[in-house]
Amino acid sequence: MGNYYIRRTLSMLVTLFLIVTITFFLMRAIPGGPFTREKPLPAEIIERLEAKYNLDAPIMEQYFDYLKGLATFDLGPSYRILGMSVNEMIANGFPTSAKIGGIAAILIVSVGIPIGIISALRANSLIDYSVMLLATLGVTLPSFVLATGFIYIFAIQLDWVDATGLTSLSSYIGPVIALSGYSISFVARLSRSSQLEVLQQDYIRTARANGISEFKVIMKHGFKNSLIPVVTYVGPMVASILVGSFVVETMFNLPGIGRYFVAAVQNRDYTVIIGMTVFYALFYVVSVFLVDIAYSFIDPRIKLGN
């Protein structure tokens, strides 16, 4: 068990190192730079700015300097927002992103899994067809379409909610719906197909033949064993929405980290792009690790390290 944790930790560190390296050099390969403007700055000002941030040094020197800072959890300064570091951007924006993402994650799990299970237990019924129709519609609508529709109907036409910022409890509704719509539909479809597959297994028929109650058969044998595909998807999904949706946060004018990332891409703010990418990657690799651990609790036959 201990060797497994060591191997996985090393694997995560190598993955993060490769992500940092690839992102760093790709940023340098893109034409232009953080001080590129529509109205060009004087050459002497650009030289001073590059000297200030060590951008006039050889690229390998810049790379190793960045790695040294990263080793001390220093993601560097923003090149476009004076006096603000990437660490400060994450500290300012992540609480909002995590709050919206956390509510959305709870909604996805508490709604998607139950309706998928109910649909499977009522296969080929009106309930099943209705759930699958809505789920199919949900997976085809991107988050920006849901966000646009919500803003137009409930904020502009009906004036029921405030769709800019987080000024009240009602202002959470739109971002959460837009952020969770696709995943609720996908989890519902995944839960249904997984549950249907499990219910056709021999051990389910044996449990029923032995007189075990239908409720116990479903909850003890069917539900638990159908969770592995769902957990496989939900783990990385939670990591993704916790660090914010760039589109949703921009459309609802939320003070999350998404707005910083969008601005950084537009401005070629190297350190912000790399820092946000590393921050997301860290959440992702940890979530995959937690999913592997969850497997062993869901199915005792799965042993960590095997």
Side-chain angles (χ1 to χ4, degrees):
M1 183 71 72
N3 290 335
Y4 171 78
Y5 288 122
I6 293 174
R7 291 200 305 271
R8 285 309 302 268
T9 300
L10 292 175
S11 174
M12 288 190 292
L13 291 175
V14 171
T15 300
L16 291 173
F17 171 75
L18 291 175
I19 290 173
V20 170
T21 301
I22 293 171
T23 308
F24 182 91
F25 287 104
L26 282 179
M27 288 298 97
R28 268 41 178 200
I30 296 175
F35 308 120
T36 301
R37 304 286 196 279
E38 291 185 8
K39 183 179 180 180
L41 294 173
E44 58 271 18
I45 293 180
I46 293 179
E47 289 177 2
R48 290 178 182 178
L49 287 171
E50 289 181 343
K52 177 181 178 181
Y53 293 109
N54 200 35
L55 293 177
D56 56 348
I59 188 169
M60 292 306 297
E61 181 179 332
Q62 296 180 46
Y63 172 65
F64 287 116
D65 284 344
Y66 186 81
L67 290 182
K68 291 176 183 177
L70 194 61
T72 59
F73 304 100
D74 180 7
L75 298 175
S78 169
Y79 295 147
R80 296 298 294 266
I81 303 179
L82 187 63
M84 179 170 281
S85 68
V86 181
N87 295 62
E88 291 172 333
M89 290 182 179
I90 293 175
N92 292 338
F94 179 65
T96 299
S97 298
K99 190 183 300 181
I100 297 294
I103 296 172
I106 293 172
L107 185 65
I108 291 166
V109 173
S110 60
V111 174
I113 295 177
I115 64 176
I117 298 298
I118 292 172
S119 181
L121 297 178
R122 298 291 186 269
N124 301 319
S125 68
L126 180 60
I127 293 177
D128 182 30
Y129 294 141
S130 300
V131 169
M132 286 302 99
L133 176 62
L134 292 175
T136 302
L137 181 63
V139 297
T140 59
L141 291 176
S143 59
F144 71 86
V145 173
L146 289 175
T148 302
F150 182 89
I151 293 172
Y152 178 75
I153 296 173
F154 296 101
I156 298 176
Q157 295 296 321
L158 299 177
D159 195 24
W160 286 357
V161 298
D162 184 2
T164 56
L166 298 175
T167 56
S168 63
L169 288 176
S170 64
S171 60
Y172 284 82
I173 298 175
V176 170
I177 290 177
L179 197 57
S180 61
Y182 171 86
S183 293
I184 288 177
S185 302
F186 190 87
V187 167
R189 293 175 61 88
L190 190 60
S191 298
R192 176 185 181 274
S193 60
S194 181
Q195 184 70 30
L196 284 175
E197 182 179 354
V198 168
L199 292 177
Q200 295 172 1
Q201 299 300 313
D202 291 338
Y203 64 85
I204 295 293
R205 289 192 287 267
T206 301
R208 285 170 171 165
N210 288 335
I212 299 176
S213 67
E214 187 66 12
F215 178 80
K216 191 173 182 179
V217 169
I218 298 301
M219 296 307 297
K220 183 177 180 179
H221 301 285
F223 174 70
K224 188 176 181 180
N225 290 322
S226 69
L227 281 180
I228 288 183
V230 178
V231 170
T232 302
Y233 170 77
V234 168
M237 177 272 300
V238 170
S240 177
I241 64 176
L242 279 179
V243 296
S245 167
F246 310 137
V247 173
V248 171
E249 289 184 5
T250 301
M251 295 191 69
F252 286 95
N253 193 29
L254 302 179
I257 63 176
R259 62 173 181 169
Y260 290 122
F261 191 87
V262 172
V265 172
Q266 294 173 340
N267 297 327
R268 298 183 183 89
D269 199 341
Y270 297 150
T271 50
V272 178
I273 296 174
I274 300 172
M276 296 295 182
T277 302
V278 172
F279 187 67
Y280 170 75
L282 177 62
F283 266 82
Y284 190 89
V285 296
V286 170
S287 72
V288 172
F289 176 59
L290 294 177
V291 165
D292 289 345
I293 295 176
Y295 287 159
S296 63
F297 288 97
I298 295 172
D299 189 345
R301 294 172 299 178
I302 299 177
K303 303 296 182 181
L304 295 179
N306 289 345

